[in-house]
Amino acid sequence: MKKIVHITNDLQRLGGVQRLLVDLMTLQNDDFKFEVILTRGKNEYVDELKALGVEVFHKNDLGFLGVIKRLNAADLVHTHLYPSIYIAYFTNTPTVVTEHNPHYRRRDLSFVKTLESIIYKKFKKIICISEGVKTKFLESIRASSSKAYVINNGVNLERFSQTAKTLSADAKVINIGMVGRFAPQKDIKTLIKLMTLLDERFVLNLAGDGELRSEYEVYALSIGVNNKVKFLGQVNDIPTFLNSLDIYIQSSHWEGFGIAVVEAMAAGLPSFATNVKGLNNVVVEQGLFEVGDAHTLADKINVLVDDANYYNEQSVAALKKAASFSIKNTAIEHTKIYKSVLNNV
């Protein structure tokens, strides 16, 4: 059985990249032997990966040369994110790379673009998680378009209820939620502002943590909505969290692909997202709003909750949309890429 090593930053539970890797390895475990090397953070999927027989190593324990030694012992390397892509450049093993975001701030620097244009020549295949990511990547990095493939991210739909939801017109509490890091990309501040535009029935539930949490807590207090916003910290049981909601919102400035939104839709939640690449091909058209436009979003939410039939229709539409992003399809396409590279070595 061929051995594939994933090298990435961490395996934290709130990350979309991390969830994708664990789901892929679960579905591909009969075809390949997997190993994971982490360059920075920790492994929060210990139990799942141990059950799969997947060993996880840390760069801090191995050292740079130890990492390269393990990569060289593999049949294929699959690298994700910075700095893993730089480290993978030094292996002799055939390597594929996944582009997970349409924008990386480091590529605003011309010398980084030049450097990465050199690095990416080494990689056999470049997997982009959406058409938007592929377009932005080819605009930024001088790479052969023939090496770039789109494989949409997928979700293990069976983890979620896949059941349509209803909402009574006289509901006393309406729970809105979002899953994500408290970082500038996610624009959680717009969701907090949104609470000033919605009546007292609405509660915002934020599952996540990060560098801006304290700033957002102060902001919620300063605009008088701290009693309508729940900062839940890291939530490990995402399906249960989603089941507690009535509406999901993804307010990001950008996304490579909206895994969190697909998960919400698989839980039957009518979902809203910003009209940006990586999200606008995931959410139904009625659910889109422009970045930072809390007023339009508030109007859309009020229309949704004031009509029980319309709410149920949007829940059914969300389920139908989510069904097109099954992780099973994503795994099949990754296996094709892996076998293509391995058969041409």
Side-chain angles (χ1 to χ4, degrees), residues 27-200:
L27 290 171
Q28 297 176 297
N29 202 43
D30 290 336
D31 298 314
F32 306 102
K33 178 177 175 57
F34 288 102
E35 183 176 295
V36 178
I37 296 176
L38 304 180
T39 61
R40 290 177 173 172
K42 57 186 177 179
N43 172 23
E44 295 178 350
Y45 287 94
V46 174
D47 293 338
E48 289 102 317
L49 295 180
K50 186 175 181 180
L52 292 172
V54 175
E55 291 188 278
V56 179
F57 299 90
H58 295 262
K59 176 179 173 289
N60 287 345
D61 297 328
L62 297 174
F64 179 80
L65 293 179
V67 170
I68 299 303
K69 183 177 180 179
R70 297 209 71 88
L71 297 181
N72 285 343
D75 296 292
L76 180 71
V77 171
H78 191 163
T79 185
H80 311 261
L81 305 173
Y82 171 89
S84 300
I85 57 171
Y86 285 40
I87 295 171
Y89 177 77
F90 293 95
T91 180
N92 298 322
T93 305
T95 302
V96 299
V97 58
T98 293
E99 287 289 294
H100 290 279
N101 283 295
H103 176 257
Y104 292 104
R105 282 177 292 179
R106 67 179 186 274
R107 289 180 184 162
D108 293 336
L109 302 173
S110 59
F111 82 89
V112 172
K113 284 187 180 183
T114 301
L115 175 62
E116 294 195 2
S117 293
I118 295 170
I119 289 173
Y120 274 70
K121 287 180 180 179
K122 181 220 187 295
F123 301 141
K124 301 294 184 182
K125 306 282 185 183
I126 301 161
I127 300 170
C128 302
I129 66 171
S130 68
E131 286 288 350
V133 168
K134 179 181 175 181
T135 298
K136 289 295 186 182
F137 169 74
L138 292 175
E139 287 175 358
S140 179
I141 300 297
R142 292 193 300 275
S144 172
S145 60
S146 64
K147 293 168 61 174
Y149 296 79
V150 174
I151 302 179
N152 283 322
N153 270 5
V155 167
N156 181 0
L157 301 176
E158 295 174 3
R159 294 176 59 231
F160 304 93
S161 68
Q162 300 183 77
T163 303
K165 295 178 75 79
T166 58
L167 182 69
S168 171
D170 60 356
K172 296 293 190 291
V173 177
I174 301 173
N175 283 298
I176 297 172
M178 178 171 159
V179 178
R181 292 174 296 105
F182 285 24
Q185 174 194 351
K186 305 297 182 178
D187 192 22
I188 292 170
K189 198 169 187 177
T190 289
L191 295 189
I192 298 173
K193 178 182 177 183
L194 170 71
M195 301 313 292
T196 67
L197 306 173
L198 298 174
D199 64 45
E200 294 305 312

